[in-house]
Coordinates of all heavy atoms in Angstrom, one line a residue:
N344 N 3.4 5.6 -7.0 CA 2.5 4.4 -6.7 C 2.3 3.5 -8.0 O 1.8 2.4 -7.9 CB 1.2 4.9 -6.2 CG 0.2 3.7 -5.9 OD1 -0.8 3.5 -6.5 ND2 0.7 2.8 -5.0
C346 N 4.7 2.2 -9.4 CA 5.7 1.1 -9.3 C 5.2 0.1 -8.2 O 5.6 0.1 -7.1 CB 7.0 1.7 -8.8 SG 7.5 3.1 -9.8
D347 N 4.4 -0.8 -8.7 CA 3.8 -1.8 -7.7 C 3.9 -3.2 -8.4 O 3.5 -3.4 -9.5 CB 2.3 -1.4 -7.5 CG 1.4 -2.5 -7.4 OD1 1.8 -3.5 -6.6 OD2 0.3 -2.5 -8.0
L348 N 4.4 -4.1 -7.6 CA 4.7 -5.4 -8.1 C 3.5 -6.4 -8.1 O 3.6 -7.5 -8.6 CB 5.9 -6.0 -7.4 CG 7.2 -5.3 -7.7 CD1 8.3 -5.7 -6.7 CD2 7.7 -5.5 -9.1
S349 N 2.4 -6.0 -7.3 CA 1.3 -7.0 -7.3 C 0.5 -6.9 -8.6 O 0.1 -7.8 -9.2 CB 0.5 -6.8 -6.1 OG 0.0 -5.5 -6.1
I350 N 0.3 -5.6 -9.0 CA -0.5 -5.5 -10.3 C 0.3 -6.1 -11.4 O -0.3 -6.6 -12.4 CB -0.8 -4.0 -10.5 CG1 -1.9 -3.9 -11.6 CG2 0.4 -3.2 -11.0 CD1 -3.3 -4.2 -11.0
L402 N 2.1 3.9 4.3 CA 2.9 3.6 3.2 C 2.3 2.5 2.3 O 1.4 1.7 2.8 CB 4.3 3.1 3.7 CG 5.1 4.1 4.5 CD1 6.3 3.4 5.1 CD2 5.6 5.3 3.6
D403 N 2.8 2.4 1.1 CA 2.4 1.3 0.2 C 3.7 0.5 -0.2 O 4.2 -0.2 0.6 CB 1.6 1.8 -1.0 CG 1.0 0.7 -1.8 OD1 1.2 -0.5 -1.5 OD2 0.4 1.0 -2.8
N404 N 4.2 0.8 -1.4 CA 5.2 0.0 -2.0 C 6.7 0.4 -1.6 O 6.9 1.6 -1.5 CB 5.0 -0.1 -3.5 CG 3.7 -0.7 -3.8 OD1 3.3 -1.7 -3.3 ND2 2.9 0.0 -4.6
A405 N 7.5 -0.6 -1.5 CA 9.0 -0.3 -1.3 C 9.5 0.1 -2.7 O 8.8 0.3 -3.6 CB 9.6 -1.6 -0.8
E408 N 8.7 4.1 -4.9 CA 7.6 4.8 -4.2 C 8.0 5.1 -2.8 O 7.7 6.2 -2.3 CB 6.3 3.9 -4.2 CG 5.2 4.6 -3.4 CD 3.8 3.9 -3.6 OE1 3.7 2.8 -4.1 OE2 2.9 4.5 -3.1
K433 N 4.0 -2.5 6.9 CA 3.3 -3.8 7.1 C 4.2 -4.6 8.0 O 5.4 -4.6 8.0 CB 3.1 -4.4 5.8 CG 2.4 -3.6 4.7 CD 1.0 -3.3 5.2 CE 0.1 -2.8 4.0 NZ 0.6 -1.6 3.3
W437 N 3.8 -8.3 2.1 CA 2.4 -8.1 1.8 C 2.2 -7.6 0.4 O 2.9 -6.7 0.0 CB 1.8 -7.1 2.8 CG 0.4 -6.9 2.9 CD1 -0.2 -5.7 2.4 CD2 -0.7 -7.7 3.4 NE1 -1.6 -5.8 2.6 CE2 -1.9 -7.0 3.2 CE3 -0.7 -8.9 4.0 CZ2 -3.1 -7.5 3.6 CZ3 -1.9 -9.5 4.4 CH2 -3.1 -8.7 4.2
F438 N 1.3 -8.1 -0.3 CA 1.0 -7.7 -1.7 C 2.2 -7.4 -2.5 O 2.3 -6.4 -3.2 CB 0.1 -6.4 -1.6 CG -1.4 -6.7 -1.5 CD1 -1.8 -7.3 -0.3 CD2 -2.3 -6.6 -2.5 CE1 -3.2 -7.7 -0.2 CE2 -3.6 -6.9 -2.4 CZ -4.1 -7.4 -1.2
V439 N 3.2 -8.3 -2.4 CA 4.4 -8.4 -3.2 C 5.4 -7.2 -2.8 O 6.5 -7.5 -2.4 CB 4.2 -8.5 -4.7 CG1 5.5 -8.7 -5.4 CG2 3.2 -9.5 -5.0
S440 N 4.9 -6.0 -3.0 CA 5.9 -4.9 -2.9 C 5.7 -4.0 -1.7 O 6.4 -3.0 -1.6 CB 6.0 -4.1 -4.1 OG 4.7 -3.9 -4.7
D441 N 4.8 -4.3 -0.8 CA 4.5 -3.4 0.3 C 5.7 -3.4 1.3 O 6.4 -4.4 1.5 CB 3.2 -3.8 1.0 CG 2.0 -3.3 0.2 OD1 2.1 -3.2 -1.0 OD2 1.0 -3.0 0.8
V442 N 5.8 -2.2 2.0 CA 7.0 -1.9 2.8 C 6.9 -2.6 4.2 O 5.9 -2.5 4.9 CB 7.1 -0.4 3.1 CG1 8.2 -0.1 4.1 CG2 7.3 0.4 1.8
K515 N -1.3 5.9 0.9 CA -0.7 5.7 -0.4 C -1.3 4.4 -1.0 O -1.5 3.4 -0.3 CB 0.8 5.5 -0.2 CG 1.6 6.7 0.2 CD 1.5 7.9 -0.7 CE 1.8 7.6 -2.1 NZ 3.2 7.2 -2.4
G516 N -1.6 4.5 -2.3 CA -1.9 3.3 -3.1 C -3.3 2.8 -3.2 O -4.2 3.3 -2.5
D517 N -3.4 1.8 -4.0 CA -4.7 1.3 -4.5 C -5.3 0.4 -3.4 O -6.5 0.5 -3.1 CB -4.4 0.5 -5.7 CG -5.7 0.1 -6.4 OD1 -6.4 0.9 -6.9 OD2 -6.1 -1.1 -6.4
L518 N -4.6 -0.5 -2.8 CA -5.2 -1.3 -1.8 C -5.8 -0.5 -0.6 O -6.9 -0.8 -0.1 CB -4.1 -2.3 -1.2 CG -4.7 -3.2 -0.1 CD1 -5.8 -4.1 -0.5 CD2 -3.5 -4.1 0.5
N519 N -5.0 0.5 -0.2 CA -5.6 1.4 0.9 C -6.8 2.1 0.4 O -7.8 2.2 1.2 CB -4.5 2.5 1.3 CG -3.5 1.9 2.3 OD1 -3.9 1.1 3.1 ND2 -2.2 2.3 2.1
K554 N -5.9 0.8 -9.9 CA -5.6 -0.5 -10.3 C -6.7 -1.5 -9.9 O -6.5 -2.7 -9.9 CB -4.3 -1.0 -9.6 CG -3.1 0.0 -9.8 CD -2.0 -0.4 -8.9 CE -1.0 0.8 -8.7 NZ -0.1 0.5 -7.6
Ligands
LIG38 MN1 1.2 -2.3 -2.6

Side-chain angles (χ1 to χ4, degrees):
N344 181 240
C346 309
D347 145 43
L348 293 167
S349 58
I350 196 75
L402 298 170
D403 187 0
N404 300 310
E408 179 171 4
K433 305 302 194 300
W437 187 255
F438 274 70
V439 188
S440 41
D441 282 29
V442 175
K515 294 301 306 298
D517 190 69
L518 176 61
N519 278 323
K554 305 168 200 165

